[in-house]
Amino acid sequence: MALLVALALALTGCPGQEEDTEPETDETPEATDEAPERVTLRLPGGDQGFPSPFGYMRGPGYVQTSFIYDTLVWKDASGEVLPWLASGFEESDDGLTYTFELREGITWHDGEPFTAQDVVFTFAYFDQQQISPQVIVQPIEEIEEVTAVDDHTVEFTLSEPAATFLQFGAAGAVPIVPEHIWSGVDDAAQASDVALLVGTGPYRLEQYSPGEGSYLYTANDDYFLGTPVVERLEFVEVGDPLTALLAGELSAAGGNGLRDDALAPFEEDDRYEILEAPPGSAGTALYWNLARGGALADPQFRRACALAIDREDMVQRLFGGNGAPGNPGWIPPEHPFHAEVEQYAFDLEAANALLDEAGYARGEDGMRTGPDGQPLSFELLVPAPAGPPVDLVVGYLAEIGVQLEPQALDTPSFNQRVLAGETDMSMISFGGMNSDLAPDYLRLIYSTEEQLVQQAQGYENPRVDELAREQLNTLDDDERLEIVTEIQEIVAEDLPLLPLVYPTGFSIHDTEVFDAWYYTPGGVAGVVPTTYNKHAFVTGQETGMPTDS
C-alpha cells in the first residue's frame, strides 16, 4: 500500500488535518537563462468529439479538452498534485470543506479576467445541463455548494466525504469554463461553435474536422505558466501511425497490444523511445445484458461462458503475449486495491457440466436451448470493425453450444444502443482500471446509481450499491481496501461482465522532436492512460513547475 498511501497523501492530505498544499519553491527545477527550443508535434488523429467540456467523447476526448481548459490542480510524471489554477488549498478536519486559493492575474483567451466566480459558475452550469455519459468528467453529486469567498478564493462544501474529490469529477479534473461565454448557451451538449472554446489553457483550437478527426492547436503564448514549449499540436489522419512515425510524418504513435515485430524497428533505433503503460490501462470486456432475462440473467450460464473463454490464449493470439488476461474482479493485480477473486480458468469440461446441470440441453446440431426452450443464440454488439477478438469469443462459446451473431456498429451508434439497453451481449473497451479512479471505478461500473457505456448492463445488487457508496465516503485506505475487496468478490461471483484482456499499451516517440513524454501515474484526470499530458507540452520537462509560477 506504500505507493497508494503516498499518492493518496499527495492528493487528499491526511484526513482530520488542515493542509496547505502550496508548493515549496526549493523543490521546483531551477530556471535556466536559455529558453528551450519550441517544437511542433504531429500526432495520430481520430474524432474524439467537439473539445468543449460538454461535448467530447470519453477519455481521449477529455485530453483534447484539457489543452484548452484548465483545472484547479494537475499532475506531472511524479504523480504529485501540482498547483494549477489554484496556488494551494486547505481541507477541513471532517473532509467536508475544501478552500482553494486561486492564482492572481490569470486571464481567459479573450483577455477577460479569471475569477472565483468562474469556478462557481462552472459547477452550477454543469448541474443545469443534460450531458452525455461519454463526457466522462462531470462534477460529483457530493458537492453541495460552491462559494466565491472573494475574487481569488473559492470554497467547496460537500454533503458527505468523497475520497475522489481531488481526483475524478471534482477539483482535480473538472475543466473550469468562463461564465461570460457559457452563460449565454442554453444547451451546452449541442454547442459546436469553435468560437465558444475560450479557456485559460495553454492552447487554442484553430481547426477541427469531425469527419477526418483532425485537430490543430496553437500555443497560448501568454499562458500564465509560461510560453508552452510545444508551439503546435497537429492531430492528423494517417493510414498506419507506426509506418508514418518511421517515415518522419508523425512525432509519436503507439497502440495497445503491439506485437514484438511491430516494436522491433523502434527498439533498434536510438532515435525512438518506447514507453509501456501500466498494466490494465486498457481492456476489453464481454457484457451480458441481465435485463433481457432468460439465460443472460442466469449467473450459472455466465460462469459457464467464462470457463469456456481461454483468455490466456486470447493474449497470445491477439497480442503475441504483450498483455494479460482480464480479471473478473475488474481491478488489475498490480493495483494496490486489487483483491484475489475467482478467475474462471479455461475449462471446457467444467463449462459444459455447468450448463448441463442448469438444464441447458444440447441438441443434435451441437447447440443448446434453455429450460424455457429458447435457443442459446444471442446478438453480440461490437464497435466496428468486429475483428479477431470477436471471432475468438464467438468460436469459444460455440464450443459449448452458445451461438453469437456479431453486429458491428460505428462508435456513436454502438454507444447509443448500449446506453439504451438495446443489447443481448456486447464487447466494450475501457481504460483506467489501474488508475486513481480505482477503486471508485467499481461504483461507476457495478452500482445502479450511474450510467456509463461501460456499466454492467441490467445488474442490480443492493449489497454492491451499499458497499460502493461506503467506499466513496471512506478516506482511510485500509478501511477502503476491506470494502472494495468485498465488492470485487461479489462481482466476480455474479459476473455481469467478464474483463477479457488487458493489452499492454505502448507509446513510441521520436525523441529528436520531443523527449519529455511520460505516462501520468494514476492517469490524466485520474483515469485516462495517455502520454499527452499538457504539463509536459508546457514545461518541456517531466516533473515540476516553471520557477516563476
Side-chain angles (χ1 to χ4, degrees):
M1 295 295 292
L3 176 61
L4 177 69
V5 170
L7 184 61
L9 288 174
L11 290 171
T12 66
C14 298
Q17 294 181 3
E18 294 286 334
E19 181 181 12
D20 187 347
T21 62
E22 191 163 357
E24 298 178 11
T25 55
D26 58 357
E27 293 183 357
T28 56
E30 292 184 1
T32 61
D33 294 333
E34 185 177 351
E37 182 181 354
R38 303 189 74 187
V39 300
T40 292
L41 299 183
R42 289 175 61 82
L43 304 169
D47 192 3
Q48 314 301 341
F50 184 63
S52 87
F54 316 104
Y56 64 83
M57 291 191 291
R58 300 173 69 172
Y62 176 85
V63 174
Q64 298 274 4
T65 299
S66 74
F67 300 143
I68 304 169
Y69 296 91
D70 287 315
T71 50
L72 295 178
V73 295
W74 197 250
K75 289 197 303 185
D76 63 9
S78 72
E80 298 292 325
V81 164
L82 301 173
W84 212 255
L85 287 175
S87 58
F89 70 92
E90 291 182 349
E91 177 187 357
S92 65
D93 290 347
D94 57 9
L96 295 177
T97 304
Y98 291 81
T99 304
F100 289 84
E101 295 297 328
L102 306 181
R103 296 175 187 270
E104 298 189 22
I106 295 176
T107 60
W108 298 97
H109 292 160
D110 60 5
E112 292 293 318
F114 159 72
T115 71
Q117 184 55 40
D118 290 309
V119 180
V120 173
F121 169 80
T122 296
F123 285 82
Y125 189 69
F126 264 104
D127 193 46
Q128 297 164 0
Q129 300 292 317
Q130 293 291 327
I131 303 171
S132 167
Q134 294 187 74
V135 175
I136 62 169
V137 175
Q138 300 185 37
I140 58 176
E141 63 182 23
E142 289 73 22
I143 297 175
E144 189 172 72
E145 185 176 20
V146 185
T147 306
V149 177
D150 56 41
D151 280 352
H152 299 99
T153 308
V154 63
E155 184 175 275
F156 289 78
T157 304
L158 278 60
S159 58
E160 54 190 47
T164 61
F165 177 73
L166 290 175
Q167 301 168 6
F168 189 79
V174 171
I176 305 301
V177 302
E179 180 177 16
H180 67 279
I181 296 293
W182 288 95
S183 60
V185 180
D186 293 332
D187 189 348
Q190 299 303 315
S192 59
D193 185 349
V194 172
L196 292 171
L197 301 182
V198 175
T200 58
Y203 295 95
R204 296 183 176 92
L205 182 71
E206 299 292 344
Q207 297 176 14
Y208 166 48
S209 300
E212 299 175 351
S214 61
Y215 299 77
L216 168 61
Y217 297 88
T218 58
N220 169 18
D221 288 348
D222 297 324
Y223 192 48
F224 65 91
L225 291 176
T227 303
V229 171
V230 174
E231 190 171 17
R232 289 166 63 93
L233 288 164
E234 300 176 1
F235 291 84
V236 296
E237 186 72 11
V238 294
D240 181 345
L242 295 184
T243 300
L245 178 59
L246 279 173
E249 298 170 2
L250 292 178
S251 311
N256 293 321
L258 296 177
R259 290 175 172 273
D260 290 345
D261 57 354
L263 297 169
F266 304 101
E267 291 173 330
E268 296 165 357
D269 191 333
D270 291 341
R271 175 173 183 158
Y272 299 102
E273 176 188 41
I274 302 174
L275 297 179
E276 286 190 22
S281 292
T284 300
L286 178 66
Y287 286 67
W288 296 270
N289 185 355
L290 280 60
R292 288 292 171 98
L296 299 172
D298 180 0
Q300 195 89 326
F301 168 73
R302 301 193 296 271
R303 293 172 195 140
C305 291
L307 288 165
I309 296 173
D310 191 341
R311 286 168 284 143
E312 291 278 3
D313 180 57
M314 292 185 76
V315 171
Q316 292 299 324
R317 295 172 68 174
L318 295 173
F319 315 124
N322 286 334
N327 170 37
W330 184 262
I331 297 180
E334 291 76 9
H335 195 279
F337 279 108
H338 167 81
E340 296 295 331
V341 298
E342 174 62 52
Q343 289 298 304
Y344 302 96
F346 176 63
D347 189 335
L348 269 183
E349 183 177 351
N352 279 309
L354 275 181
L355 293 176
D356 292 342
E357 179 185 322
Y360 295 96
R362 197 156 196 164
E364 293 182 356
D365 61 354
M367 306 312 293
R368 291 181 182 269
T369 55
D372 57 2
Q374 295 298 312
L376 296 190
S377 177
F378 307 100
E379 179 186 71
L380 178 65
L381 205 65
V382 298
V390 176
D391 296 339
L392 287 176
V393 170
V394 171
Y396 291 137
L397 295 193
E399 290 292 315
I400 58 171
V402 177
Q403 183 179 28
L404 300 181
E405 299 176 353
Q407 183 176 357
L409 298 177
D410 62 88
T411 299
S413 299
F414 174 83
N415 291 341
Q416 185 176 16
R417 282 195 56 184
V418 168
L419 289 169
E422 297 172 349
T423 67
D424 288 337
M425 296 172 64
S426 53
M427 287 175 63
I428 302 177
S429 61
F430 42 76
M433 294 85 68
N434 197 359
S435 70
D436 287 349
L437 182 55
D440 194 47
Y441 214 160
L442 292 166
R443 179 177 61 88
L444 303 180
I445 298 299
Y446 293 104
S447 79
T448 57
E449 66 179 35
E450 297 294 332
Q451 186 184 28
L452 298 177
V453 172
Q454 295 88 352
Q455 189 180 30
Q457 296 159 12
Y459 180 56
E460 296 182 11
N461 186 317
R463 180 59 177 162
V464 170
D465 282 356
E466 177 185 359
L467 292 168
R469 174 55 54 179
E470 188 177 344
Q471 63 79 28
L472 178 63
N473 298 149
T474 302
L475 303 181
D476 182 273
D477 286 332
D478 291 335
E479 293 178 13
R480 208 168 174 217
L481 176 59
E482 290 183 19
I483 299 166
V484 299
T485 294
E486 185 177 348
I487 297 176
Q488 292 172 79
E489 291 169 346
I490 293 173
V491 299
E493 182 178 358
D494 289 350
L495 214 62
L497 63 91
L498 175 68
L500 297 170
V501 289
Y502 302 144
T504 302
F506 296 98
S507 188
I508 310 169
H509 317 111
D510 184 340
T511 58
E512 292 185 3
V513 178
F514 187 70
D515 63 359
W517 301 95
Y518 59 81
Y519 278 106
T520 307
V524 172
V527 70
V528 186
T530 180
T531 53
Y532 297 170
N533 187 322
K534 65 182 177 185
H535 163 271
F537 299 162
V538 171
T539 65
Q541 57 198 34
E542 295 187 8
T543 58
M545 300 289 284
T547 53
D548 59 355
S549 64

